[in-house]
Amino acid sequence: MSLNNSSNIFLDSVPSNTNRFQVNVINENHESSAAANDNTDPPHYEETSFGDEAQKRLRISFRPGNQECYDNFLQSGETAKTDASFHAYDSHTNTYYLQTFGHNTMDAVPKIEYYRNTGSISGPKVNRPSLLEIHEQLAKNVAVTPSSADRVANGDGIPGDEQAENKEDDQAGVVKFGWVKGVLVRCMLNIWGVMLFIRLSWIVGEAGIGLGVIIIGLSVVVTTLTGISMSAICTNGVVRGGGAYYLISRSLGPEFGGSIGLIFAFANAVAVAMYVVGFAETVVDLLKESDSMMVDPTNDIRIIGSITVVILLGISVAGMEWEAKAQVILLVILLIAIANFFIGTVIPSNNEKKSRGFFNYQASIFAENFGPRFTKGEGFFSVFAIFFPAATGILAGANISGDLEDPQDAIPRGTMLAIFITTVAYLGVAICVGACVVRDATGNMNDTIISGMNCNGSAACGLGYDFSRCRHEPCQYGLMNNFQVMSMVSGFGPLITAGIFSATLSSALASLVSAPKVFQALCKDNIYKALQFFAKGYGKNNEPLRGYILTFLIAMAFILIAELNTIAPIISNFFLASYALINFSCFHASYAKSPGWRPAYGIYNMWVSLFGAVLCCAVMFVINWWAAVITYVIEFFLYVYVTYKKPDVNWGSSTQALSYVSALDNALELTTVEDHVKNFRPQCIVLTGGPMTRPALLDITHAFTKNSGLCICCEVFVGPRKLCVKEMNGGMAKKQAWLIKNKIKAFYAAVAADCFRDGVRSLLQASGLGRMKPNTLVIGYKKNWRKAPLTEIENYVGIIHDAFDFEIGVVIVRISQGFDISQVLQVQEELERLEQERLALEATIKDNECEEESGGIRGLFKKAGKLNITKTTPKKDGSINTIQSMHVGEFNQKLVEASTQFKKKQEKGTIDVWWLFDDGGLTLLIPYILTLRKKWKDCKLRIYVGGKINRIEEEKIAMASLLSKFRIKFADIHIIGDINIKPNKESWKVFEEMIEPYRLHESCKDLTTAEKLKRETPWKITDAELEAVKEKSYRQVRLNELLQEHSRAANLIVLSLPVARKGSISDLLYMAWLEILTKNLPPVLLVRGNHKNVLTFYS
């Protein structure tokens, strides 16, 4: 089908054909609109409009019909195309763009490239236009060429594209496997082990056909549940290399993944030795029969095992393609061996085989062997423990997930089909061997029933053979005694031996490949930093050659030990622990209810997965209880280690999701319970600005909120909203990361506002969640209030008033040097930058000298031009001159020391609490909490309260009684009876000089002049105001004298904050009170609670 741009096409209201769609080309003008309106036939489905800049639009309405027509329309090279240029922000193709939302937009249509991770091997990551660009960019009317705009909209031209293209080129020669060769073949080979040929007949003999089927079924239940859980996990997003480790770590996090990944890789490495030793034992048995022993059985096993593992290593190192070919060949041999057994069961038995217990299919044998007949020391669980390792191996395909074309499809399909096929084979062999072979046989062809002899009622007796003496003496043949029953039953015995070789070698080869792959993925994630050496890969397939060598060495070590019976149960339990965690991962991800848990494999249930996890743990103890305990101990140790190290990774695990759900549930549950005074704790908003700029203020607050209360570091951005929001959003993650890095248990919050007070007011009202809302505002003392603009002072005092209005307590902290170290931080950043430039310059000069020596002066100029040496040098010198002029070290030394004073352990001393006004107890509670902290535990509380001179002892006893009821330990109590006397003249003179620049002195002027001054400078302190609050001013000055007298040597002073009545006390007078009150003192906390009880003596 071909379409053109003529406006006369498709304008009739009824289409002439019955195609599934119709296309109307409509010009955006009056005539075309009228023509379009003539079409009264409504679309059958939702209408999709496309447009371009040439004012022409294609309208496609879907009709029932042949879908191929529509597909051909989209794929044809003759699709509708206008002659006009495309819009600058086309985001679909460079040749034709179907606009979805009209024109003149940067909005890009959904593309998979936007959702890839950086460095994705499946393709480059593309950056979509940001919301800021879409929201504001077009307003600038920036001229953009169509070609460059296409690149922007398509994400082309972004940094790293060339590298991404190179990565794609590098991936060209990579060998990837489909679900059959990559998963199905490997899983079948790993599940079909030696157990199938030399132990399954014994299991049927012990447990009988009935319980034998149950044992196989129970094992399959474990593997099937694990397979279902694994399928759900691996279809919940792209799966990379690492197999079980990758699935568990990305689901449960690095703690579980790192612990199980290490033991899983080790288990696979030791499993190589186990399978190779099994192969070597079979070869040694053949050498014994032919009398061809080399040394002795033990050393022969070591020799053959060592040679075998070297050959297997060579196949693995040669590449995954060679390894896959070897696996296919081994599978063919194994299938022939199994088919050989089934063929042998229908070939008529001869006398020799009958004497060994094989009679072909007999109903009497089936009936006799259906029930169990456990020998001494054996039982259901002991037999199950022997068989279960034969059912493992379902992770063989998942372990090479990085080498699969489509792991999300291959792992579920290949694993589940492998479980089904191998289960059918196990059940078929068990039932067939149970229906053909009796439990005991002598192997003597003369043990036949002679006519007239009494038959003992056994199946063999009914078939003409008397094996009754096997009840009294051991026999060598039959299900219970001969491990080579399958070889005897088969049509051609050597094929069973070949099958045993195939089973052992294929399992060893799979483990030899799996261990390095899993280990490499673990090392790449850098969870164990000491193992980073093994993360490097080689070649197109990123082969872990170092991991191969390590696995080879581990396998060789255990082969040379040749004592694998002890470690075998531990290895089985390592695999089972992996199965348990895979099941638990599926349950945990479902239980966390994360919207990101959307597995494409829908046949799973979280409770079934949990049952599978519990079942795996139970089977671990059934197989070997001490091995299970060892497994759990090792896993717990590794879990604790990884948790302690806290690797810097974020995989969006279900643990994070569940933490969020738990926190949300707990927060909601808190809202259902009324607050109780016994559970009160300071929950603080700290006006630090950036948390790193006022560390001392944050440290003292953190000292009484750590592990007990909420602490929110707040910053207000004042200025043009656009710039403020951009700066705020850009620093949020960085500042929260700083808190985490410095182990400060606090949150960071920021707002953009027109003025500082509005921002703080917003924080006071909106911060927190439910019951976890701030009840205390912590601010630093405004040391520069005398030089600051009046608006800043108004905002500062206004914030205190706002906090009281919202019934929030206030803590003002003052230290001698102040809190703000932003200047120091800027200097440090500049020095670090200069140091980096210096090192870069030295390295460049050194490289250029080497270049000159090797390549001549031409190479030097080339290198210098590339690295812009001439630009860097003058910039460095100018910066150094600036820094030197600041005298950084001398100017900021005291400030730096003051900023860290609360990080240090406080010397033995006192915290003096001047509890002058009853604010509900916050003034007393905060210092008490401080004394519980490790850094403050050597500081004792001294309590100072006001009282009458003639009742000092009575009030001291009363205060001691109150504190004892509050269960607050104290070193001493002081009753201050002379608080309200006038201060000395020198102190009062200092206060008067302090407020002199801010006084109005209206009493010295005529009334008109005074009124004019009040209107022009309403912020000044009037004589009337000063006279009205003269007693309060006296008190502040007198308190400073008392503080100097009693608490000058204290480690910390906690003092009741005076409250300024709104509308009565001017801002400057209030600041003067705070200044004179805390002048020339150790660190001071001015505290005022919200006058609600925070202490109680009731239980």
Side-chain angles (χ1 to χ4, degrees), residues 279-299:
F279 167 77
E281 287 177 348
T282 306
V283 175
V284 169
D285 289 340
L286 294 176
L287 292 177
K288 283 182 182 178
E289 293 178 3
S290 61
D291 196 21
S292 303
M293 297 291 293
M294 290 179 284
V295 185
D296 57 69
T298 301
N299 286 314

Side-chain angles (χ1 to χ4, degrees), residues 73-147:
F73 167 71
L74 287 182
Q75 298 173 7
S76 173
E78 301 178 7
T79 53
K81 188 173 182 179
T82 65
D83 294 332
S85 62
F86 296 108
H87 187 266
Y89 294 114
D90 291 351
S91 64
H92 214 56
T93 66
N94 290 328
T95 57
Y96 182 60
Y97 176 51
L98 301 178
Q99 288 181 326
T100 54
F101 306 111
H103 43 244
N104 196 30
T105 180
M106 282 186 67
D107 271 329
V109 296
K111 296 172 67 175
I112 191 173
E113 289 82 0
Y114 296 138
Y115 298 91
R116 287 196 174 107
N117 288 335
T118 303
S120 173
I121 61 174
S122 58
K125 174 179 172 56
V126 177
N127 293 326
R128 70 174 62 81
S130 69
L131 189 59
L132 182 64
E133 291 171 337
I134 293 173
H135 196 200
E136 299 184 358
Q137 192 71 24
L138 289 179
K140 297 180 180 179
N141 295 320
V142 179
V144 185
T145 61
S147 60

Side-chain angles (χ1 to χ4, degrees), residues 986-1037:
E986 292 78 8
S987 300
W988 182 250
K989 185 178 180 181
V990 171
F991 178 73
E992 286 185 325
E993 290 175 353
M994 185 186 300
I995 64 173
E996 180 62 30
Y998 314 110
R999 292 186 61 179
L1000 189 63
H1001 290 293
E1002 79 280 6
S1003 60
C1004 301
K1005 300 176 177 62
D1006 60 80
L1007 185 61
T1008 305
T1009 305
E1011 290 298 328
K1012 182 180 179 182
L1013 288 174
K1014 283 183 181 180
R1015 288 193 302 271
E1016 292 176 353
T1017 56
W1019 45 270
K1020 284 199 171 184
I1021 304 170
T1022 65
D1023 294 339
E1025 176 192 0
L1026 195 58
E1027 184 64 30
V1029 295
K1030 195 170 188 178
E1031 292 298 324
K1032 289 187 177 180
S1033 299
Y1034 281 157
R1035 185 188 302 149
Q1036 313 312 322
V1037 179

Side-chain angles (χ1 to χ4, degrees), residues 278-400:
F279 167 77
E281 287 177 348
T282 306
V283 175
V284 169
D285 289 340
L286 294 176
L287 292 177
K288 283 182 182 178
E289 293 178 3
S290 61
D291 196 21
S292 303
M293 297 291 293
M294 290 179 284
V295 185
D296 57 69
T298 301
N299 286 314
D300 282 5
I301 290 173
R302 290 170 177 164
I303 294 170
I304 295 170
S306 300
I307 295 172
T308 304
V309 78
V310 169
I311 295 172
L312 294 178
L313 177 66
I315 295 173
S316 302
V317 172
M320 289 296 295
E321 192 170 7
W322 284 95
E323 188 267 349
K325 291 177 181 178
Q327 293 280 27
V328 171
I329 294 172
L330 293 173
L331 178 63
V332 171
I333 296 172
L334 194 58
L335 290 173
I336 293 174
I338 295 173
N340 177 49
F341 164 76
F342 286 112
I343 293 171
T345 59
V346 297
I347 296 176
S349 178
N350 55 34
N351 290 334
E352 182 181 3
K353 289 185 177 182
K354 286 181 179 180
S355 66
R356 296 181 178 182
F358 173 54
F359 295 94
N360 296 111
Y361 293 104
Q362 300 292 335
S364 58
I365 296 178
F366 181 87
E368 183 180 77
N369 289 342
F370 189 82
R373 199 178 86 186
F374 294 112
T375 55
K376 186 177 180 180
E378 300 294 347
F380 176 82
F381 289 109
S382 65
V383 174
F384 173 79
I386 292 172
F387 172 78
F388 183 80
T392 60
I394 61 171
L395 297 178
N399 287 339
I400 63 160

